[in-house]
Amino acid sequence: MSSLSIRLPLRRDSDDGYKMIKSIQSMVKQNFKMLLLTIPGERVMIPEYGVGLPRYLFELHSSNLEQNISSKINQQVDRYMPYLRIDNMQFNTLANEPSSLHIEITYSIPSLNFRDLLALTI
């Protein structure tokens, strides 16, 4: 099977030289994760790209914070990944890390009849 993209973070692989993404679903998940983690201004030639979740690391956890993050995610997905539909977003704090924010996003790609979950902790 041919490869679609390099899997990030880069890791060596004896088959292809580097680990590769070989399915559209895996590539969409990686691209979605990069959209969430990229800080606006960080991507060359597209300064408004990214949600910038790391910027929220030291924000106090509140419903207003969740609303701001949710709104930013929806705006960025609409602009840069219009084929992706966000079905649900959940925000939680982890018991062992009370200063962190755990985000679970259920998303789908209707044209491919595909549904998945992306979970991140910041």
Side-chain angles (χ1 to χ4, degrees), residues 31-50:
N31 290 346
F32 187 30
K33 183 177 178 182
M34 293 302 113
L35 179 68
L36 297 175
L37 295 175
T38 300
I39 297 169
E42 185 176 27
R43 182 145 181 201
V44 177
M45 303 295 288
I46 311 175
E48 56 280 334
Y49 178 89

Side-chain angles (χ1 to χ4, degrees), residues 66-83:
E66 294 172 7
Q67 188 177 30
N68 290 343
I69 293 172
S70 179
S71 175
K72 185 72 172 174
I73 290 171
N74 283 315
Q75 289 171 359
Q76 291 289 305
V77 166
D78 287 346
R79 184 167 184 183
Y80 295 106
M81 300 182 82
Y83 52 87

Side-chain angles (χ1 to χ4, degrees), residues 3-121:
S3 301
L4 299 171
S5 178
I6 294 175
R7 183 172 301 282
L8 298 173
L10 292 175
R11 284 175 279 163
R12 289 293 218 170
D13 180 49
S14 59
D15 295 335
D16 298 316
Y18 288 98
K19 294 273 185 188
M20 302 299 287
I21 293 176
K22 299 188 180 198
S23 74
I24 291 174
Q25 293 86 353
S26 294
M27 188 172 69
V28 167
K29 189 170 193 169
Q30 176 174 288
N31 290 346
F32 187 30
K33 183 177 178 182
M34 293 302 113
L35 179 68
L36 297 175
L37 295 175
T38 300
I39 297 169
E42 185 176 27
R43 182 145 181 201
V44 177
M45 303 295 288
I46 311 175
E48 56 280 334
Y49 178 89
V51 174
L53 286 180
R55 292 184 312 177
Y56 298 100
L57 182 62
F58 298 106
E59 297 280 332
L60 294 175
H61 182 73
S62 68
S63 61
N64 192 31
L65 174 66
E66 294 172 7
Q67 188 177 30
N68 290 343
I69 293 172
S70 179
S71 175
K72 185 72 172 174
I73 290 171
N74 283 315
Q75 289 171 359
Q76 291 289 305
V77 166
D78 287 346
R79 184 167 184 183
Y80 295 106
M81 300 182 82
Y83 52 87
L84 190 135
R85 185 180 74 206
I86 295 177
D87 299 322
N88 188 34
M89 275 189 250
Q90 289 186 312
F91 298 85
N92 301 302
T93 54
L94 301 176
N96 58 345
E97 294 183 44
S99 63
S100 67
L101 180 63
H102 183 72
I103 304 169
E104 290 185 354
I105 304 172
T106 305
Y107 66 94
S108 59
I109 306 169
S111 61
L112 296 177
N113 197 24
F114 171 73
R115 187 178 171 118
D116 201 2
L117 171 76
L118 178 63
L120 293 169
T121 301

